[in-house]
Amino acid sequence: MKSLLFILLGTVMFFSQNNRFIYEVKYKKDSTSKDITRENYYLDITKEDIAYYNRLYYIRDSVFTTTGRSPINKQTSFLIKKKNIISFQNYEYIGDVNFYKINEEAEQNWKISDSIKTFEGYRVQKAVTAFGGRSWVAWFSKDIPISYGPYKFNGLPGLIMELYDSKKDYYFKVIKSEKIPESYQRISLEGFISRAIPVTQKDLNKLRLDLYSNPFKYAFNGNLTIPEGKKLLLDDGTVLSKEQLKPAEANERKKLKAFNNPIELDKAVKYPQ
């Protein structure tokens, strides 16, 4: 892998260009289950900002560029951080028709150890921190002098190549890097950013609880119109007609409640018993 990365990283000039690092992410949505979700996330580092988002958005943009149409696929939260600004802009998707925006700082107090190992051909060094109600272990490479990693993790003297929490509920590793084409546009992200609703964490928790009480409120209150004869596609692939929504509420609450293990565990919503 190192030879591939260095072909892409090449010289110091690379770091003044637009770079993408692709992470394989494995995580447990439900702490009581053994099921593991596997997804790829992109960390884009440009002259203007840092963006961390699910690969599905990249696919969505690629399809739109080719066909002029956006595919219907799962929507997930994403992050933007402007250069020279401490805070992250968190664009949260909770399952209704909106994206919500929260500005938060995400500083980590890293303790760098003397432990060294080889990861995919790179010499990486160990660092530990506490963040979001979890204890984390990161392995970073000074060979790639970029002080970021997946999600909100930042502040180390090199790219985070591997990251996991003490319970191994979340595991991230770099699997690929590439230069971002000058022509690439974040069409989907920019669209959601432009209409995101600013909220506080307290507001967002209340919105999650409201959604739990009435999972399909956006369909019943007129914010989402389901034409006659059409059906609603849920994030998990379930397809429901408007008549089927009310009977499906209990199952939707069960799914919402099962996501009890977010990255920042201290922000987990306490749903009613």
Side-chain angles (χ1 to χ4, degrees):
M1 180 177 178
K2 186 171 182 178
S3 60
L4 171 63
L5 279 175
F6 268 114
I7 288 172
L8 295 171
L9 300 181
T11 66
V12 176
M13 285 297 292
F14 174 86
F15 300 108
S16 65
Q17 298 172 357
N18 297 336
N19 316 309
R20 173 176 295 134
F21 298 92
I22 303 175
Y23 286 85
E24 179 184 65
V25 184
K26 300 177 183 179
Y27 64 100
K28 293 176 66 175
K29 292 182 178 181
D30 184 351
S31 60
T32 66
S33 171
K34 294 182 179 180
D35 292 341
I36 301 294
T37 299
R38 291 175 171 83
E39 296 177 316
N40 285 354
Y41 273 77
Y42 286 11
L43 175 66
D44 287 2
I45 299 177
T46 73
K47 298 173 185 178
E48 292 79 29
D49 62 19
I50 292 93
Y52 180 75
Y53 56 96
N54 193 295
R55 181 174 180 269
L56 291 173
Y57 288 112
Y58 177 83
I59 295 173
R60 184 187 182 105
D61 288 349
S62 298
V63 172
F64 180 81
T65 300
T66 303
T67 68
R69 296 182 179 182
S70 293
I72 298 174
N73 54 20
K74 183 173 71 171
Q75 295 177 357
T76 61
S77 302
F78 60 92
L79 299 168
I80 303 290
K81 182 184 180 300
K82 298 295 183 181
K83 289 288 184 68
N84 302 319
I85 295 179
I86 296 175
S87 62
F88 282 79
Q89 298 169 358
N90 311 325
Y91 292 90
E92 298 282 349
Y93 179 70
I94 65 173
D96 61 12
V97 295
N98 300 311
F99 269 83
Y100 301 95
K101 176 183 175 181
I102 301 178
N103 287 331
E104 290 182 324
E105 294 184 16
E107 295 184 49
Q108 290 104 40
N109 181 22
W110 293 102
K111 295 181 180 179
I112 299 176
S113 78
D114 295 328
S115 297
I116 302 291
K117 72 175 185 177
T118 299
F119 177 81
E120 299 290 353
Y122 276 86
R123 185 176 184 270
V124 294
Q125 190 169 355
K126 182 180 180 181
V128 298
T129 192
F131 176 72
R134 298 180 188 271
S135 297
W136 295 91
V137 175
W139 293 89
F140 66 95
S141 175
K142 291 182 179 179
D143 290 340
I144 308 176
I146 292 175
S147 61
Y148 293 98
Y151 193 57
K152 301 176 184 177
F153 292 93
N154 68 97
L156 287 168
L159 180 73
I160 296 175
M161 305 288 286
E162 186 180 28
L163 175 74
Y164 48 86
D165 69 295
S166 58
K167 294 183 179 179
K168 299 289 181 71
D169 284 348
Y170 282 81
Y171 177 80
F172 308 79
K173 71 173 181 179
V174 173
I175 58 172
K176 187 179 179 182
S177 74
E178 58 192 25
K179 293 181 181 179
I180 302 173
E182 290 293 331
S183 60
Y184 179 65
Q185 295 180 316
R186 300 182 199 140
I187 300 169
S188 298
L189 297 191
E190 292 300 330
F192 293 128
I193 287 171
S194 65
R195 61 176 188 266
I197 301 171
V199 294
T200 64
Q201 186 63 47
K202 184 177 179 180
D203 294 333
L204 190 65
N205 290 346
K206 183 178 184 303
L207 286 164
R208 290 184 187 278
L209 288 171
D210 289 346
L211 188 65
Y212 179 82
S213 298
N214 188 358
F216 301 115
K217 63 178 182 179
Y218 49 88
F220 292 123
N221 64 12
N223 287 337
L224 176 65
T225 302
I226 304 177
E228 189 69 30
K230 299 294 183 180
K231 296 187 177 183
L232 179 66
L233 174 65
L234 305 185
D235 284 344
D236 65 355
T238 303
V239 178
L240 300 172
S241 66
K242 189 168 184 177
E243 292 72 28
Q244 293 172 316
L245 295 182
K246 203 67 178 176
E249 284 186 341
N251 189 55
E252 194 66 15
R253 288 192 190 96
K254 183 178 179 181
K255 288 189 291 184
L256 290 171
K257 202 170 187 177
F259 188 29
N260 56 37
N261 197 34
I263 298 178
E264 294 184 62
L265 190 57
D266 54 2
K267 292 181 180 178
V269 177
K270 305 298 183 185
Y271 291 107
Q273 297 295 325

